[in-house]
Amino acid sequence: MSRFDTYFLLKEEDVIQYVREKSHFFPPDAKLACKEIGDGNLNYVYRVEDVETGRSLIAKQAGVTLRISKEMKLSTERNRKEAQILRLHAEVAPGLVPEVFAYDKTMCLSLMEDMRDFELMRYALMQHKTFPNFADQITTFMVNTLLSTSDLVMDHQEKKALVVEYMNPELCEITEDLVLTEPVNDNKGRNKVFPPIRAFADRELYQDNALHLEVAKLKFTFLNKAESLIHGDLHTGSIFVNKEKTVVFDPEFAFYGPMGYDIGNVTANLMFAWCNGNTYKAEAFCAWVEKTIVEVVDMFTQKFKARFAESKPDVMARTEGFLDWYAGEILTDTAGYTGTELLRRTVGMAQNKDVTSIDDEAARARIDRINITAGKSFIMNREQIRTGRQFLDTFLEAVSRQDEELRSNREENPVKRQGV
Ligand code: SR1
Ligand code: MG
């Protein structure tokens, strides 16, 4: 009998005992220390370290309620699926995901590689650090994981089996609500709108029926387009980086969905990084982010087409013109989901520190207005946004438009604070 035969939520001292009892990672007499280092909205993440040698591993456990809200409950099964997907990703995208050492289905806990020589990308970007290999490596990760799990190159029966295996209704519902409903229709009253932009958000999001229609289409694409096994939450808090390497983790939202959802998460989160850099006048950093946005879109398209040509695609997918048409559809989805991510992180329940850490009220209001304007533009014009340059221009045009509006408001009304 072991106290770990029945599920309970571990504390730091329990994790040390667990690791001693259940894994051979450390020598039996090692002096171990443990610290909870989780930064996400859902799970508990512990670093266990041998204090003498510095060797360490990560223990990740799912709680019954979420960290972000005790009212939100989810099955702890999600961690089993995540461990399974990390192993699948390790096969198709070797070196781009952490290694999973073990999964314990009773404790809903995985033991995995500690990416100690890496930083969480969001925090590194908030310090205006740049990562020269990021665009290349993240596009390799996306092309490898998305193309290889799609009907384009898979046996269609095997692919359907994976669709069933990776059904993820609870986590998908979070996205359907938080990303694809609430930013334009706060039907559960959970949005967090920054008070100075309340009137702006009301007019631009809640009262714009044309926008609602397009977000509804994107929601139903997300619900119905079982295209690839997507990561499902590929923001910069799900990525570790250093100057050489990129590592993607936390695929608990994975399911068969539209490829563009992953790519759009990456592009939108680079835009949040730009917003932080622009606010603090980090010009070289912003120039790198701009270049990276262009490269992410264009490298994805180039590598996707090249890998498609190298593989043995479906016989009908080889029809002349099909690949260009298909890549265009992915980019349309990418633009749409870039837009929904920009909106949901601005007014939704789960926001991003790149923006929420901006203390100056007027500066934060400016950024929120930019992201709402850009988000709408990506959604409404998504069929015309096909190249990296067009992605960047759509964003920068929204910046210019907002700055122009703020300037003219200021001239008309010089004493009023420029929030709305
Ligand atoms: C209730 S979970 C809120 C958000 O955190 C996750 O990382 C996903 O992005 C989700 O939408
Ligand atoms: Mg996460």
Side-chain angles (χ1 to χ4, degrees):
M1 275 294 279
S2 152
R3 59 191 289 252
F4 304 112
D5 287 346
T6 312
Y7 173 86
F8 68 101
L9 197 59
L10 299 177
K11 297 206 168 60
E12 289 169 347
E13 48 291 4
D14 304 318
V15 178
I16 293 183
Q17 204 189 340
Y18 177 91
V19 167
R20 283 198 197 285
E21 189 179 317
K22 298 280 182 179
S23 109
H24 301 293
F25 188 85
F26 299 107
D29 56 350
K31 279 199 195 123
L32 300 182
C34 175
K35 191 167 166 34
E36 209 282 318
I37 56 165
D39 181 58
N41 295 319
L42 274 66
N43 302 302
Y44 298 88
V45 180
Y46 302 89
R47 167 174 286 143
V48 185
E49 181 179 3
D50 180 330
V51 291
E52 277 160 356
T53 65
R55 266 184 94 228
S56 57
L57 59 59
I58 294 294
K60 178 171 179 179
Q61 190 183 30
V64 177
T65 57
L66 306 193
R67 294 179 79 137
I68 192 174
S69 156
K70 295 288 168 247
E71 270 99 71
M72 291 176 82
K73 293 192 168 47
L74 281 182
S75 149
T76 45
E77 254 290 278
R78 64 185 187 272
N79 268 18
R80 182 184 65 77
K81 291 221 168 128
E82 173 176 321
Q84 203 178 330
I85 289 163
L86 280 173
R87 285 174 168 151
L88 185 150
H89 282 170
E91 275 172 38
V92 296
L96 296 169
V97 290
E99 185 183 347
V100 177
F101 302 135
Y103 180 72
D104 179 332
K105 60 182 183 338
T106 303
M107 297 309 294
C108 307
L109 175 143
S110 45
L111 296 180
M112 60 178 111
E113 184 182 357
D114 186 3
M115 309 311 298
R116 279 213 99 141
D117 302 332
F118 289 73
E119 289 178 90
L120 194 67
M121 187 169 188
R122 187 177 311 286
Y123 293 137
L125 295 177
M126 285 172 65
Q127 292 169 47
H128 308 145
K129 295 183 183 170
T130 60
F131 298 94
N133 301 328
F134 174 70
D136 183 31
Q137 292 169 347
I138 197 71
T139 51
T140 298
F141 173 83
M142 291 194 291
V143 169
N144 289 11
T145 57
L146 299 175
L147 180 63
S148 71
T149 56
S150 77
D151 273 315
L152 293 170
V153 300
M154 274 191 86
D155 172 86
H156 303 321
Q157 290 201 20
E158 284 173 16
K159 182 255 180 174
K160 286 182 183 70
L162 290 188
V163 174
V164 174
E165 170 78 30
Y166 290 109
M167 285 281 177
N168 197 355
E170 285 184 317
L171 280 283
C172 282
E173 190 180 52
I174 291 180
T175 304
E176 291 147 22
D177 289 343
L178 292 191
V179 185
L180 300 164
T181 302
E182 292 170 32
V184 294
N185 181 344
D186 190 15
N187 60 339
K188 296 194 175 167
R190 300 192 291 195
N191 280 354
K192 293 195 297 197
V193 180
F194 188 49
I197 65 141
R198 218 168 258 150
F200 183 80
D202 200 39
R203 184 182 74 233
E204 294 295 323
L205 298 175
Y206 301 152
Q207 290 171 26
D208 185 340
N209 291 330
L211 176 69
H212 294 192
L213 175 59
E214 298 312 314
V215 174
K217 291 179 193 171
L218 287 161
K219 179 173 182 176
F220 278 76
T221 299
F222 183 87
L223 285 162
N224 294 314
K225 193 168 183 172
E227 184 174 38
S228 288
L229 182 59
I230 67 170
H231 178 285
D233 199 24
L234 196 43
H235 55 80
T236 50
S238 299
I239 302 173
F240 287 121
V241 276
N242 63 27
K243 287 286 173 195
E244 283 80 43
K245 283 184 67 184
T246 304
V247 167
V248 176
F249 68 109
D250 219 10
E252 65 202 319
F253 282 77
F255 81 114
Y256 260 84
M259 299 190 195
Y261 191 77
D262 276 358
I263 316 160
N265 263 261
V266 173
T267 48
N269 280 274
L270 286 169
M271 291 166 197
F272 293 127
W274 185 97
C275 290
N276 186 290
N278 177 265
T279 301
Y280 297 111
K281 313 224 173 320
E283 280 164 27
F285 171 76
C286 287
W288 173 79
V289 176
E290 290 175 19
K291 177 169 155 284
T292 304
I293 291 169
V294 174
E295 287 176 352
V296 164
V297 174
D298 292 343
M299 282 187 182
F300 178 86
T301 311
Q302 284 153 14
K303 290 184 192 179
F304 182 81
K305 288 184 172 178
R307 277 291 299 275
F308 176 92
E310 284 162 13
S311 46
K312 284 198 198 120
D314 170 272
V315 61
M316 289 305 290
R318 288 178 225 165
T319 305
E320 202 185 331
F322 178 84
L323 180 57
D324 283 340
W325 168 79
Y326 198 96
E329 294 290 298
I330 296 173
L331 291 165
T332 295
D333 290 346
T334 300
Y337 295 120
T338 300
T340 53
E341 179 71 4
L342 287 173
L343 298 186
R344 74 93 164 215
R345 297 290 188 189
T346 304
V347 298
M349 172 187 181
Q351 308 197 342
N352 279 349
K353 290 194 181 132
D354 326 40
V355 173
T356 57
S357 63
I358 298 171
D359 285 334
D360 181 83
E361 188 174 279
R364 162 80 190 274
R366 167 181 173 261
I367 292 301
D368 279 359
R369 290 168 59 119
I370 286 172
N371 286 326
I372 290 174
T373 307
K376 288 183 67 170
S377 188
F378 276 107
I379 292 167
M380 301 308 288
N381 304 314
R382 64 191 182 283
E383 288 182 6
Q384 281 79 54
I385 304 171
R386 292 288 168 93
T387 65
R389 187 70 237 179
Q390 288 167 339
F391 271 77
L392 179 61
D393 286 347
T394 301
F395 180 69
L396 293 179
E397 276 159 23
V399 175
S400 306
R401 224 174 325 140
Q402 266 320 299
D403 283 346
E404 187 46 46
E405 224 171 88
L406 287 174
R407 241 189 319 273
S408 59
N409 282 352
R410 226 173 280 139
E411 277 160 21
E412 276 167 29
N413 197 349
V415 280
K416 193 172 160 242
R417 290 287 278 175
Q418 295 302 315
V420 292

